Amino acid sequence: MEVIIRSDGVAIATIVADTISSLLTRKPDAVLGLATGSSPLAVYDELARRYEGGRLSFSRARAFMLDEYVGLAAEHPERYRNVIEKEIVSRVDFAPDAVQGPDGLAEDLPAACAAYEQAIIDAGGVDLQLLGIGTDGHIAFNEPGSSLASRTRIKTLTEQTRADNARFFDDIEQVPRHCLTQGLATIMSAKHLVLVATGRGKAEAIHRMAEGGVSAMWPASILQHHPHVSVLVDDAAASRLQLAGYYRQTYASKPEWQGL
Ligand code: GLP
């Protein structure tokens, strides 16, 4: 796991956008994993800017979303499909139907989850998965206690996550109680995982993820078992890291050719 500490979200977004740009140059039909939440927004802004400037195209790329609320109406602005559409898909040139998410409105939710797993496999797997992290260490919606071997399935949100996400709704009662989420093993199947986190509220989760024991209590800690993980954090999110000095030193002397 490579931990990179930068001063702010914009500096982080530049590095992540460089990585996605170089992937799409190398492999224009790459499969991207898109995350919701506020953490990746600066990355999406930077990708949209590069697309507008003619420096980047998603025309042959495909993308899979991490998760979705169960039961939010198709037109609800906080439905993750709509959030992703607004924040990135509508701003660049993905082909119609190139972006998929789990169907939180399916009548048969387990069947929708199985179909989603199959769709990812049929696409050849995810090349680069963007991730945020919850304050309780969840990735996608894999809450504490999630099986480290889990696949896409229905989950119940913790009260902590519902409270964290209430800012996007009129009040907490409107935050759904259930979601569909890629499992931890689904996420671990992606070739490159890129996790971004900013702010002091994420500091404990980042420390547990990178430096704690691997445990379902801190679901993101499973990333310690992945061979290619890049974690980009600002100074505040890095504030509990024991090896912060080492990570800074390593990045300062990182060879130019290496990329993430
Ligand atoms: C949400 C999403 C996650 C996201 C996390 C952090 O619940 N399901 O994919 O990483 O919370 O969100 P934020 O980036 O807004 O802090």
Side-chain angles (χ1 to χ4, degrees):
M1 183 180 292
E2 179 177 30
V3 180
I4 296 173
I5 305 170
R6 300 276 80 195
S7 56
D8 56 48
V10 174
I12 291 170
T14 304
I15 298 171
V16 176
D18 285 348
T19 306
I20 293 173
S21 302
S22 90
L23 170 63
L24 288 171
T25 304
R26 217 166 54 238
K27 186 178 180 187
D29 60 349
V31 179
L32 302 174
L34 300 176
T36 32
S38 42
S39 306
L41 294 181
V43 173
Y44 296 152
D45 287 345
E46 181 58 22
L47 292 175
R49 247 191 308 276
R50 292 180 189 207
Y51 164 70
E52 281 158 27
R55 288 183 287 153
L56 185 60
S57 171
F58 296 80
S59 62
R60 293 178 55 201
R62 280 159 302 162
F64 288 91
M65 294 166 50
L66 281 173
D67 46 11
E68 182 59 274
Y69 290 115
V70 167
L72 277 192
E75 65 286 356
H76 195 292
E78 291 308 324
R79 188 175 166 238
Y80 277 178
R81 187 66 187 79
N82 297 335
V83 172
I84 282 290
E85 187 68 31
K86 172 167 164 262
E87 300 298 353
I88 180 69
V89 178
S90 64
R91 302 167 74 190
V92 298
D93 61 343
F94 276 112
D97 301 327
V99 180
Q100 297 185 51
D103 183 2
L105 288 170
E107 256 177 48
D108 184 342
L109 292 171
C113 292
Y116 196 62
E117 284 282 326
Q118 193 56 48
I120 296 172
I121 292 167
D122 292 346
V126 170
D127 291 299
L128 184 152
Q129 176 65 59
L130 262 178
L131 293 168
I133 188 168
T135 54
D136 61 2
H138 74 247
I139 47 173
F141 268 137
N142 292 283
E143 297 283 28
S146 288
S147 160
L148 301 180
S150 50
R151 292 278 167 184
T152 304
R153 68 212 183 290
I154 186 165
K155 284 293 287 180
T156 303
L157 300 177
T158 61
E159 285 312 300
Q160 167 83 62
T161 297
R162 291 185 69 239
D164 285 349
N165 289 2
R167 67 190 192 279
F168 299 114
F169 293 81
D170 292 338
D171 67 78
I172 190 167
E173 278 314 304
Q174 292 179 18
V175 184
R177 292 195 149 70
H178 294 102
C179 63
L180 301 185
T181 180
Q182 285 191 27
L184 293 170
T186 319
I187 294 167
M188 290 289 284
S189 305
K191 295 172 191 87
H192 182 194
L193 304 178
V194 178
L195 187 144
V196 295
T198 53
R200 192 163 294 270
K202 301 292 173 72
E204 172 78 2
I206 289 294
H207 162 62
R208 299 278 190 157
M209 173 198 66
E211 301 176 335
V214 174
S215 159
M217 280 306 285
W218 292 91
S221 63
I222 187 67
L223 302 194
Q224 292 177 33
H225 281 293
H226 194 285
H228 192 186
V229 182
S230 309
V231 175
L232 295 103
V233 287
D234 68 357
D235 292 322
S239 58
R240 298 235 23 223
L241 287 171
Q242 259 167 261
L243 299 182
Y246 173 65
Y247 305 138
R248 289 183 199 277
Q249 202 186 350
T250 303
Y251 189 68
S253 55
K254 188 177 168 73
E256 189 82 15
W257 51 263
Q258 197 178 34
L260 292 187

